Amino acid sequence: MSLAARVSDPTSHPRLVSLIDHARSRPPLSAAVVFPNDEISLRAAMSSLMAGSMKPTLYGNKRVIESLARDHEAINDIAIVDTGSEPREAARAAVSAVRRGEHTALMKGSLHTDELLQAVLDRDEGVRTQRRLTHTFVFDLPGYHKLLAVTDAVVNIAPDIETKADALANAIDVMRTLGVARPKAAVVAAVEVENPAIAATVDAARLCELAATGRFGDAIVEGPLGFDNAISAEAARIKGINSSVAGDPDVLLVPGLNAGNILYKSLIYLGAGECAGIVQGARVPIVLTSRADSEFSRLASAALASIMASQAM
Amino acid sequence: MSLAARVSDPTSHPRLVSLIDHARSRPPLSAAVVFPNDEISLRAAMSSLMAGSMKPTLYGNKRVIESLARDHEAINDIAIVDTGSEPREAARAAVSAVRRGEHTALMKGSLHTDELLQAVLDRDEGVRTQRRLTHTFVFDLPGYHKLLAVTDAVVNIAPDIETKADALANAIDVMRTLGVARPKAAVVAAVEVENPAIAATVDAARLCELAATGRFGDAIVEGPLGFDNAISAEAARIKGINSSVAGDPDVLLVPGLNAGNILYKSLIYLGAGECAGIVQGARVPIVLTSRADSEFSRLASAALASIMASQAM
């Protein structure tokens, strides 16, 4: 059976290949896979984690997992924690193990994202931090000259200013960890001028003020910018925008889930892009998976989680 | 001086080339150009309209226009209506002429879009119809197998259900005029399941109900769909979505301005797309222009306006 919707050509995405190679060059870390109780999530987790320098421990229904994996020799070397047939129990057990320091990353199996994130966010038993949970994609795009982080295209539906600030901080952390000393972030909206009728433009101005107070460390935050003048210095020049971020951002903060999600899928399906994605804001990075992800994308996500986890240790 | 931000290779966009050729094959129609009082908007309007089978009449400051155009012989064959130095007066005069049936299209010059649309929408002196003003792009994308309309990425910030219905009806009209007997429309959102926390998904379900009542004529409307399963039949299959629109839409309705605007710019700047765009819902099509548009895109927009105008006569 095929796990991947799209067959990706890694030669088109050399920057993500480098990221994967970088993760592989490090000693393996331990990741908890939460409820990999169908063949897609089980095989995806095993192959991507192991290839991406993560040692998986599986939390789920042991009998089902062993049945699903009976043809794969690798299963004999993988720890399985039997948490029965209830996905929430697998999430609770995996998160508890993370609390005890047993794992440095989480990966979603065949449970709903909400079920996993609820366990992560539990006030008594979870692995919350001061920051909200936000999702960051790191894109390798044939039409752009370097890796580009996009946040938040997956988790927060209508982020308020504090959630946007955390999303920005989390994505800036990623790019800093990937070697960008002073990340440039563009807060994008439909237009590049502040307009009270478009809340995203007002939030953008506020985020620039927060940046000036040092909230994001050594980073340059500008906005509102249109997607055109964020991504193209020439488009910014024509519109008379004087910006050191325009045409060269490391991070794009989008206005909300609809805009971000549609953008991310357009970059994959019509922009020939590939991406790695993680949820940040918990004590450890979390890898979500979608059935439509390519194998390459799964591998890149595991590698990104591994790099972020090792940096946090 | 260069008018265009991007140099487009027409061989990459054969469907829009066909559309332009189609417009050229018809007798020229008359378009009112509103306040082309800077060099960019004047030259763009003249060249794109005349090449796209529209005969321009210029409304603006005659002295300034003649001064700007003194090196262009073509200006001698073009009617100029002197409306002085006030952009709103140019808009009022051009819209009045449209009311009298003198022109079959409007094109924005160097005034603000709002100033033009206010004149169009004036209850006494404007050219309103029963439908709201909505914007439609028609994209030619190297990564998609046919022309694809996207609405509304320009005019309506946070469209309510009635505005979305009009946007859908307007875009379906465009694709029908371009030869699609039974247009397929996908109402896209962040997710493909109805979720009360994501209003766009609820609106999508309601729009499908409206389609069932015949609101959009002979058309197939489905949603909510994610951008992935709207654009890719394979992504829809993996997610178990049974849809005759998935992978084959003629029209995408986006949730709102931020999502649509970011999508459209990503399709141009990272998806190598080109597009024609018009505002519908007035008695005649309206061409907006942006300084960052390519020449090819201006030409395609004028051609689309010409085709829509001749169909309405």
Side-chain angles (χ1 to χ4, degrees):
Chain A
M1 69 175 284
S2 165
L3 290 179
R6 296 166 296 108
V7 178
S8 178
D9 174 9
T11 59
S12 303
H13 306 102
R15 304 172 197 105
L16 284 183
V17 170
S18 294
L19 184 144
I20 293 166
D21 288 344
H22 182 59
R24 279 178 176 152
S25 70
R26 297 172 171 217
L29 301 173
S30 170
V33 183
V34 184
F35 209 67
N37 273 60
D38 64 8
E39 189 166 348
I40 288 183
S41 65
L42 177 61
R43 289 184 53 182
M46 284 169 56
S47 62
S48 61
L49 287 175
M50 292 163 77
S53 193
M54 297 287 258
K55 185 172 167 297
T57 298
L58 312 181
Y59 290 79
N61 188 324
K62 187 170 184 176
R63 189 183 50 75
V64 173
I65 292 170
E66 286 180 339
S67 166
L68 287 169
R70 62 184 174 273
D71 299 334
H72 307 294
E73 271 187 35
I75 196 73
N76 297 320
D77 303 323
I78 293 177
I80 304 177
V81 178
D82 191 7
T83 57
S85 57
E86 175 53 54
R88 286 174 192 276
E89 188 51 35
R92 199 200 57 73
V95 167
S96 287
V98 169
R99 275 177 75 90
R100 293 191 301 269
E102 293 174 20
H103 309 295
T104 56
L106 282 163
M107 178 179 258
K108 183 176 94 87
S110 62
L111 78 175
H112 289 291
T113 300
D114 284 354
E115 293 174 316
L116 174 54
L117 297 188
Q118 276 169 24
V120 167
L121 289 173
D122 188 279
R123 294 208 174 261
D124 299 319
E125 307 287 327
V127 285
R128 305 174 73 105
T129 69
Q130 295 294 315
R131 285 196 194 160
R132 289 154 189 78
L133 295 186
T134 67
H135 188 279
T136 303
F137 277 122
V138 176
F139 267 94
D140 193 345
L141 294 159
Y144 195 62
H145 58 284
K146 58 182 177 179
L147 289 173
L148 179 64
V150 175
T151 185
D152 178 342
V154 174
V155 169
N156 291 286
I157 295 173
D160 59 17
I161 188 75
E162 281 301 319
T163 304
K164 286 182 178 181
D166 281 350
L168 206 46
N170 285 331
I172 287 170
D173 276 357
V174 165
M175 297 315 290
R176 208 176 269 133
T177 302
L178 296 184
V180 182
R182 194 181 193 199
K184 299 178 179 180
V187 183
V188 295
V191 292
E192 56 273 0
V193 288
E194 205 177 328
N195 177 347
I198 304 175
T201 65
V202 180
D203 287 353
R206 177 82 186 105
L207 290 165
C208 292
E209 291 167 15
L210 288 178
T213 69
R215 168 81 176 249
F216 309 111
D218 191 14
I220 308 174
V221 177
E222 291 190 9
L225 287 169
F227 187 86
D228 53 344
N229 36 65
I231 220 72
S232 161
E234 176 69 0
R237 191 191 59 72
I238 288 174
K239 290 196 176 172
I241 295 165
N242 185 11
S243 163
S244 60
V245 171
D248 195 39
D250 302 292
V251 174
L252 298 182
L253 177 73
V254 295
L257 189 68
N258 283 319
N261 195 275
I262 291 172
L263 172 63
Y264 118 71
K265 289 168 177 169
S266 81
L267 296 179
I268 290 177
Y269 285 89
L270 296 173
E274 275 289 1
C275 58
I278 57 169
V279 176
Q280 295 161 273
R283 287 195 210 163
V284 300
I286 304 166
V287 177
L288 305 177
T289 51
S290 164
R291 284 163 291 177
D293 288 344
S294 70
E295 285 275 6
F296 181 73
S297 175
R298 293 175 198 273
L299 189 54
S301 295
L304 179 61
S306 173
I307 291 168
M308 293 305 294
S310 65
Q311 187 260 357
M313 287 171 77
Chain B
M1 69 176 284
S2 164
L3 290 179
R6 297 167 296 110
V7 177
S8 178
D9 174 10
T11 59
S12 303
H13 306 101
R15 304 172 196 105
L16 284 183
V17 170
S18 295
L19 184 144
I20 293 165
D21 289 343
H22 182 58
R24 280 178 175 155
S25 70
R26 299 172 171 217
L29 302 173
S30 170
V33 183
V34 184
F35 209 68
N37 274 62
D38 66 7
E39 188 166 350
I40 288 184
S41 65
L42 176 62
R43 289 184 54 182
M46 285 169 56
S47 62
S48 61
L49 287 175
M50 293 163 76
S53 193
M54 297 287 257
K55 185 173 168 299
T57 298
L58 312 181
Y59 291 79
N61 188 324
K62 188 169 183 177
R63 188 183 51 75
V64 172
I65 293 171
E66 285 179 341
S67 166
L68 289 169
R70 61 184 177 275
D71 298 334
H72 308 295
E73 272 187 35
I75 196 72
N76 298 320
D77 303 323
I78 293 177
I80 304 177
V81 178
D82 189 6
T83 57
S85 58
E86 175 54 53
R88 288 174 192 275
E89 188 52 35
R92 200 201 55 74
V95 167
S96 288
V98 169
R99 276 176 74 91
R100 294 192 300 268
E102 293 174 21
H103 308 296
T104 56
L106 282 162
M107 180 179 256
K108 182 176 96 83
S110 62
L111 76 178
H112 289 292
T113 300
D114 285 354
E115 293 174 316
L116 173 55
L117 297 189
Q118 277 170 23
V120 167
L121 289 173
D122 188 280
R123 293 207 174 262
D124 299 318
E125 307 287 327
V127 285
R128 305 174 73 106
T129 68
Q130 294 295 315
R131 285 196 192 160
R132 288 155 190 77
L133 295 186
T134 68
H135 188 279
T136 303
F137 276 124
V138 176
F139 266 96
D140 194 344
L141 295 159
Y144 195 61
H145 58 283
K146 58 182 178 180
L147 289 173
L148 179 65
V150 175
T151 184
D152 179 338
V154 174
V155 169
N156 291 285
I157 295 173
D160 59 15
I161 187 76
E162 282 300 320
T163 304
K164 286 183 178 180
D166 282 350
L168 206 46
N170 284 332
I172 287 170
D173 276 357
V174 165
M175 297 315 290
R176 207 177 270 133
T177 301
L178 296 184
V180 181
R182 195 183 192 198
K184 298 178 179 179
V187 184
V188 297
V191 293
E192 55 274 358
V193 288
E194 206 177 327
N195 177 348
I198 305 175
T201 65
V202 180
D203 286 354
R206 177 82 187 106
L207 290 165
C208 293
E209 292 168 13
L210 289 178
T213 69
R215 168 82 176 248
F216 309 112
D218 191 15
I220 309 174
V221 177
E222 290 189 9
L225 287 168
F227 187 85
D228 53 343
N229 37 64
I231 219 72
S232 161
E234 176 69 358
R237 192 191 58 71
I238 289 172
K239 289 198 175 169
I241 294 165
N242 185 12
S243 163
S244 59
V245 171
D248 195 39
D250 301 292
V251 174
L252 298 182
L253 177 74
V254 295
L257 189 68
N258 282 321
N261 195 274
I262 291 171
L263 172 64
Y264 118 71
K265 289 167 177 170
S266 82
L267 295 180
I268 289 177
Y269 285 88
L270 296 173
E274 274 289 2
C275 58
I278 56 170
V279 176
Q280 295 161 273
R283 288 193 210 166
V284 299
I286 304 165
V287 177
L288 306 178
T289 49
S290 165
R291 283 162 293 177
D293 289 344
S294 70
E295 285 275 7
F296 181 73
S297 177
R298 292 175 199 272
L299 188 53
S301 296
L304 179 60
S306 172
I307 291 169
M308 293 306 292
S310 63
Q311 187 259 359
M313 288 171 77

